[in-house]
Amino acid sequence: ITTEKMPLSLEVKGGEIAQVSIGITQSCRMTGRLALRQPDSAANVRVEKKQDQAKEFSLKGLEGSGDKDKSALKLVNILVEISRSGESIRQVTDGEGRFSFYDLRPGEWMVRVADDNLPTYHYVEKKSYPVELKSGEDRDLVIQVLPRMRKIQMIDEGKIK
């Protein structure tokens, strides 16, 4: 791969000779995957009641009781971008949340994940991931996708039978 982004601009005036040196180096590869970090299934939830009284209960055994089963959450078709000054390449994740960028120039790159297609109530652990690639290097990156903690307000009390 060339060391500089192509096409290269060159201005040649009539009657002059112009010479250009084009450097060549081994390309780099950046692969990775998005990993869904599951919350602790036995997590305790704090419920706030009137006059600052609090009660705790366990969610153990309630997995899959919501609209979507946790196992149904997929990290597919999520936009991942790798960029640096003047260059930007985008890919979408496959059915297993994997992405890959080939034929990259060595140097400093920034990897970002668009949160538009993430599962509802989830976010990426960090906004961006700086990566330094050396000539010929293959690098793998795991990006954590976390569930967003939500505040639940209990409107009325009752008993579950």
Side-chain angles (χ1 to χ4, degrees):
I1 192 166
T2 59
T3 55
E4 298 297 321
K5 185 179 175 192
M6 295 290 161
L8 184 66
S9 294
L10 177 64
E11 185 178 326
V12 181
K13 296 182 181 179
E16 293 183 3
I17 297 175
Q19 188 173 14
V20 175
S21 294
I22 299 175
I24 305 277
T25 187
Q26 279 189 308
S27 65
C28 306
R29 183 174 70 169
M30 176 83 220
T31 59
R33 69 181 176 89
L34 302 181
L36 189 62
R37 186 185 299 167
Q38 295 291 341
D40 180 9
S41 63
N44 286 335
V45 176
R46 184 176 173 84
V47 178
E48 306 219 357
K49 297 169 84 177
K50 294 178 184 174
Q51 288 115 13
D52 296 327
Q53 297 174 358
K55 182 179 182 182
E56 291 192 7
F57 65 95
S58 175
L59 291 178
K60 189 171 185 177
L62 296 178
E63 295 89 359
S65 62
D67 291 342
K68 287 185 179 178
D69 189 342
K70 288 182 181 87
S71 64
L73 294 176
K74 299 287 183 182
L75 297 172
V76 62
N77 291 329
I78 310 287
L79 182 67
V80 181
E81 177 185 67
I82 189 165
S83 62
R84 69 181 200 165
S85 181
E87 294 182 78
S88 179
I89 305 167
R90 295 179 178 156
Q91 295 282 329
V92 291
T93 57
D94 67 9
E96 296 179 357
R98 297 184 184 283
F99 58 89
S100 53
F101 299 97
Y102 298 96
D103 296 329
L104 299 172
R105 290 179 222 318
E108 294 180 27
W109 292 86
M110 191 66 68
V111 178
R112 292 182 185 86
V113 177
D115 56 3
D116 301 0
N117 283 349
L118 289 176
T120 306
Y121 304 117
H122 285 75
Y123 67 98
V124 179
E125 187 174 37
K126 294 186 338 188
K127 295 283 184 196
S128 59
Y129 297 81
V131 177
E132 173 75 30
L133 296 174
K134 294 180 176 31
S135 182
E137 183 177 15
D138 287 348
R139 179 76 69 87
D140 193 57
L141 178 65
V142 176
I143 298 176
Q144 297 290 324
V145 176
L146 307 166
R148 190 174 306 280
M149 297 302 292
R150 297 175 286 158
K151 192 172 188 175
I152 300 174
Q153 181 180 4
M154 301 299 244
I155 305 222
D156 196 4
E157 276 188 37
K159 291 190 178 190
I160 299 175
K161 295 181 181 183

